[in-house]
Amino acid sequence: MSFPIGSPLGGLGGQNAGLSEQQLQEQKMIKYMTAAMESCVGKSAIAGVGGFGLGGMFGLFMASMRYDTPMTPQGQEMLNLSTRQQLARGFKDMGKSSWSSAKNFGMIGALFSGTECTIEALRAKNDIYNGVAGGCITGGALAYKAGPQAAALGCAGFAAFSTAIEFYLRMPADEGSRKVI
């Protein structure tokens, strides 16, 4: 039985022939990073960090819109303060709102991504039902403290949203370029 040249069992050093020590180390690191990013823990961490960042920006934006008009009670209260006090209160509120939104978005992203990935690994299929089930579990878990009815509504809401997103992401390329209306 003969083996092709370059195979690990016979030949000229296998697939690593001609690579320097640094290139071997780079390939090893790439392999480790790819394995970490493809694991459910890695995907969940990436989604959590990404959700945290986007939530922080969203909270910052929403807080900046809170005092946009003097017609609201908060706007009237702000008019009575000096400019320095207005800025201090505005920045403090932006910080609180950013931190709160960042925590919530990060938790939702990590929970959904981890749940969906775990379901996909258990089912050994990559289809739309993984996202639907992951959305249902995430929505139910986020609303469980409010009771069973809220958990059921959270499950249904997140599952419906996940279904819509999955259908959009799995849409054939030629349909995505057409106008909706």
Side-chain angles (χ1 to χ4, degrees):
M1 181 160 148
S2 64
F3 293 100
I5 295 178
S7 73
L9 296 176
L12 307 171
Q15 63 186 9
N16 295 334
L19 295 179
S20 70
E21 184 66 32
Q22 182 180 357
Q23 290 172 326
L24 289 172
Q25 194 73 4
E26 288 173 0
Q27 286 189 352
K28 189 185 269 187
M29 285 302 296
I30 290 170
K31 191 182 297 182
Y32 289 144
M33 289 187 328
T34 302
M37 289 187 344
E38 289 177 356
S39 72
C40 289
V41 173
K43 287 180 181 179
S44 184
I46 290 169
V49 170
F52 188 87
L54 288 173
M57 289 188 283
F58 182 75
L60 184 68
F61 174 74
M62 294 306 288
S64 69
M65 296 292 147
R66 195 162 293 142
Y67 305 112
D68 62 343
T69 178
M71 302 301 213
T72 63
Q74 296 93 356
Q76 285 292 326
E77 183 181 330
M78 289 292 278
L79 283 177
N80 297 332
L81 300 175
S82 68
T83 304
R84 184 182 185 113
Q85 290 172 329
Q86 287 178 11
L87 286 172
R89 185 177 289 181
F91 284 136
K92 188 174 182 179
D93 189 41
M94 283 180 182
K96 285 181 182 178
S97 181
S98 291
W99 181 250
S100 175
S101 292
K103 289 190 307 185
N104 290 333
F105 277 58
M107 180 183 61
I108 290 169
L111 183 61
F112 175 77
S113 180
T115 305
E116 181 188 31
C117 182
T118 302
I119 292 169
E120 183 178 331
L122 290 173
R123 292 184 66 228
K125 288 183 179 179
N126 184 1
D127 58 12
I128 194 169
Y129 300 113
N130 298 331
V132 173
C136 178
I137 291 170
T138 301
L142 291 174
Y144 84 96
K145 288 182 182 179
Q149 186 178 11
L153 286 172
C155 170
F158 265 78
F161 184 71
S162 297
T163 303
I165 296 297
E166 287 287 335
F167 272 122
Y168 177 75
L169 291 176
R170 294 178 186 270
M171 186 174 12
D174 59 340
E175 288 186 29
S177 62
R178 292 190 302 190
K179 291 187 177 183
V180 177
I181 297 177

